Amino acid sequence: MFLMGEDNLVVHPSCFEVFQSMSGPLTDYYCNSSHNTYLSGHQLKSESLAQMYRIVLLTGCRCLELDCWPTNRDTECVITHGNTLCTSVPFRDCIEAIAETAFIVSEMPVI
């Protein structure tokens, strides 16, 4: 997959290494972040995938967006871009994807 390959990274892999003091408050640092993390394409009509969380975490992202929406069952929610034609994905699937990959590339916290 060329788009997600090392030859096409926005941030050079050497930048994933800690090179400064990390003892300051979070507001002192820039974080690689993701908006509509779960979407595989267009923000109004694409598929929502738990796999997208794995992909962005493995490319250095440390700030994720989880758009949680209730379902008809009181105990479950889904991740989706509400009031659009996007599909939904179970919240549990996304949290499991995050847990599996959050600290493979970096030991820095995930926000």
Side-chain angles (χ1 to χ4, degrees), residues 50 53-54 57 64-66 91-103 110:
Y53 288 100
R54 289 183 183 92
L57 286 166
L64 306 173
E65 179 181 15
L66 293 133
F91 177 79
R92 178 178 300 278
D93 292 357
C94 296
I95 294 301
E96 288 173 355
I98 293 167
E100 291 168 8
T101 53
F103 301 104
V110 174

Side-chain angles (χ1 to χ4, degrees), residues 11-32:
V11 178
H12 193 273
S14 65
C15 295
F16 295 146
E17 300 297 321
V18 176
F19 61 92
Q20 61 190 12
S21 168
M22 300 304 288
S23 59
L26 184 60
T27 55
D28 286 356
Y29 307 97
Y30 289 102
C31 295
N32 286 341

Side-chain angles (χ1 to χ4, degrees), residues 33-101:
S33 63
S34 175
H35 177 64
N36 291 338
T37 308
Y38 47 89
L39 294 178
S40 61
H42 194 281
Q43 70 174 349
L44 298 178
K45 57 182 180 179
S46 67
E47 188 175 10
S48 300
L49 301 170
Q51 180 64 17
M52 297 306 294
Y53 288 100
R54 289 183 183 92
I55 291 169
V56 299
L57 286 166
L58 293 173
T59 57
C61 182
R62 305 316 295 158
C63 180
L64 306 173
E65 179 181 15
L66 293 133
D67 283 339
C68 300
W69 287 75
T71 62
N72 293 337
R73 299 179 204 134
D74 290 333
T75 59
E76 296 180 21
C77 50
V78 294
I79 304 297
T80 190
H81 198 222
N83 302 315
T84 66
L85 300 175
C86 296
T87 63
S88 63
V89 61
F91 177 79
R92 178 178 300 278
D93 292 357
C94 296
I95 294 301
E96 288 173 355
I98 293 167
E100 291 168 8
T101 53

